[in-house]
Amino acid sequence: MNLIKPFTRALSSSRLIVLISILSGATAGVAQSNAPLPVINIFADKVVAKMPPTFYGLMTEEINYSYEGGLYGELIRNRTFKADAIQEIIKPENYDPAKHYPVKIAVTNAPKFWSTVGSAKISLDTNIILNDALNVSLKLDVSGASKDSPVGVANGGYWGIPIRPNTTYKFSFFAKAAANFPGPLSVSLESSDGKEIFANAEISGVTGDWKKFEATLTTKSIKSSQENIFKLTTTSPGTIWLQQVSLMPPTFKDRPNGNRTDLSQLLDDAHPKFLRFPGGNYVEGDYFNERFNWKETIGPVEQRPGHRSCWGYWSTDGFGLPEFLGWCQDLNMEPVLAVFAGYCLKHDSIPAGPNLEPYVQEALEEIEYVTGDASTKWGAQRIKDGYPNPFKLRYVEIGNEDWFDRSGSYDGRFAQFYDAIKAKYPQLKLISTVGYEQRESIRVHSRTPDLVDEHYYRSEEEMEAQSFVYDSRDRSNPTKIFVGEWATRVGSPTPNMAGALGDAAWMCCMERNADIVHMHCYAPLFVNVSDLGAGRSMQWKSDLIGYNALTSYGSPSYYAQKIFSEHQGDEVLTVSAQNLPTYTWIQSGRTRNGQAQPPRTNEVKSLFYSATRDTAAGKIIVKIVNRADAAQAMKVEISGATAIADEGTATVLKADNRNATNSSNDPKQVVPASEKITGLSTSFTRSYPPCSITILELQAK
Ligand code: AHR
C-alpha cells in the first residue's frame, strides 16, 4: 500500500526520499542523497502516435538448435542420414538457382548420432536411395540377428529423447530389405541404460521395395525423463535400408509435422504480433548452395533434400516455409518474410542486372506461395501442402544485414527487388536491411524503403546509454524503423536480470518513439542448453528462451518482454523527465587505426520510462525501469487527465541482484508479480525497487 501521497507536497525532495524509504518499507538500499527527486511528466492529452499493432514480434532462424532439437517436434536426430554431407562451396557464377545440387556424403562414415545394437553393422549407402532429394540411406546389416540376440540401431535424439507419461508418439519410416527378409522389426522407446522399456511396437512387411511404415508408441503412467533412446531391432538376419526415420510427440494444436507444445505455449503467452523469418544469417547461408532455398523446403518432408546451414549443422528442412506459416497461424502472428537477395555470408553477391533476375523471380514466387489463391501456381502448391487460406502478408525484407556486403551492391540489388515486387504487389511494405545505425554511404539511396531494419546487440551499459537515441531522430523521414534484431547480451546461455534491465530501457525508448519505430523483435529467440561445450548445442551466447529435451524456461528478458507486450495500450503519450539519476560507466577504449584509445567515462541515466494509454480500458500505463542497485523514488505528474483513481495495479519484475537468472534447474527465479496498489493520483511518488521493471496501470477518469 502506498501511503505517501498526502504528505508529499510540503516536503523537500531529499527529506522526501528518506520518508518514502520508511513508509514504503524500502529503507534498505535507498540512496540517501541530496539529489533532486526525479520526475516524469505525462501529457495524457498529447498523443505521440497510435501504438503500432506490430510492436512485439519474434525473430527466428535455425541457430542454437532452434527448430531441429528445439521447436520442431521431431525427436530423431539425423533422421535423413545427411548430417555427414561434405560441404561444397559453389560460387555464384557457377550456381544455377533453378537446379538442385545434390550433396555428396562421406560414405565411409557411420552416420552421426546413430549407434548399433548388438552385432549390427551400419553404413551410409548412396546407391540404394529413396529418391533424389534424400540421396543416401542407412544400410543396416543384421546378419548376426537371432531370437536370443536382437540386432539393430539406436538414436539418442537431441541430447536425449523426452518421454512423458500416458503419451502417444507417432513413429514412421521408409524401409526396404534384401530378398527374403522375414522380419518383423521391433521399435521401442527405452531408457539409455536399457533398464526400462517405455513403449514398443512391431512392424512387418518390409520387402524389396521402399515402403512407408507407421506405428504409434504409447507410454503408461511413468515418470517424465529424457535420458532415453529410440531403438529399431530385429531377431531375423538380413539387410535393411532405412530413410526418414521419424518420431513425433503430440504437437501444439495437434498440427501434423508440428511444434513442441511447451515452447509454443511460452511464445503464445507473450502474445507476439509477427514472425520475422527465416533469418537472420540463415536466409543467406555461407554459400549460394547453402542459402534458404524455399522451394526445397516445401512439399512432403521426404521430398525435401535439406541443407547445411551457416550455423554449422545440417537442417532436414522438415521445418520449412509451410511450417513457418503454420507457426504464424497457430500463434496468430503476421508473417514478415525475408527473401534471399543475392548475397551470401562468405562475401559473395550478385550485382544488380540479369544474373540477379532469377532470384527476384524466386522472391515473387515465394510471395505468391504465401499469399496466392488456388488459381496461382504457388498458391495452389501451398494449398496442397496443407494451408488452404492465403496468408496476410504486409512486410517483405530484402535480404539480411547487407551492410556486410563490402562490394557495395546492395543499393542496386534492393532497387531491382523493390521495382519488381512493388510492380506486382504495390501494397507490400519493403524493408531495407541497412538501417540508420549504418554508414550513410552504404544505405539505400536509389529507392525509398518503407522501413529500414536496424540491429542492436549490446552490453547493458551500451543499451542503456543508447536508450534515448530515437527521441532526437529526424521526424521528417518517410521511412519507418524496424528494429529487427536487438538484445542486451548479458548472461549465457540466456540473459540475466542485467540483460532484462537493458532490454526494458530499450523497449521504453522504442515505445516512446513509436511514431518512427514501427515494429521490433528480439533475437535470437531460442537456445538448446543441453551441451554448452564441445557438442555445441549453442552457437550464439545470449538467447531469450532456453530448453533441453524435456523442459524449457523463459529468461528474465523473456518476462520483461512479456509484460511489455501485455501492457502495450493503443496510444503512446508524450512524456518528459527531469532530474534523472545517472551512473558512471567507464567504457574501455577501442582500437582505432591500430592505436588503442583511452577508456571513456560516460554518465548514463539509470531510470527509464514510457507512457501509453489503453483507450478501451480507460487506463494510463506507465513503465519505469530502475537499473540501479538501490531503490529509487520518482514522482509521476499527469496532466490532461481529469483524475486518476487512488487504486491501480503494479506489475513488477525484479531480482535481488542483476546477475540473478532463470535456468533449467531454476526456471522461475525471476518472474513478474502483479499487485493492487493505492495512493495514485495525478501526482504521486513511489519508490521503485533495486534492479526492477515496474508497469503501473492507472485508471484515468
Ligand atoms: O541473431 C543472430 C545473428 O545476428 C543473425 O543471424 C544475424 O542477422 C545477426 O548478425
Side-chain angles (χ1 to χ4, degrees), residues 59 61 63 276 279-282 284 311 400-401 403-404 455 457 485 523-524 540:
M59 186 273 165
E61 63 180 318
I63 182 175
R276 173 179 173 232
N281 292 158
Y282 191 60
E284 307 159 285
W311 294 108
N400 177 61
E401 293 192 339
W403 71 79
F404 278 119
H455 291 182
Y457 292 107
E485 292 180 31
W540 189 272

Side-chain angles (χ1 to χ4, degrees), residues 401-403 410 432-439 442-444 452-454:
E401 293 192 339
D402 287 80
W403 71 79
Y410 187 58
S432 154
T433 70
V434 184
Y436 300 126
E437 87 285 24
Q438 301 298 333
R439 294 190 317 278
I442 59 170
R443 297 180 198 156
V444 167
V452 291
D453 181 356
E454 302 192 348

Side-chain angles (χ1 to χ4, degrees), residues 547-567:
Y547 47 86
N548 54 31
L550 196 62
T551 62
S552 52
Y553 68 93
S555 62
S557 291
Y558 161 83
Y559 287 107
Q561 245 185 90
K562 179 173 185 292
I563 57 175
F564 267 64
S565 159
E566 284 168 343
H567 296 93

Side-chain angles (χ1 to χ4, degrees), residues 652-665:
V652 183
L653 181 70
K654 62 179 178 178
D656 293 342
N657 65 75
R658 59 196 339 95
N659 298 322
T661 200
N662 296 335
S663 64
S664 296
N665 293 332

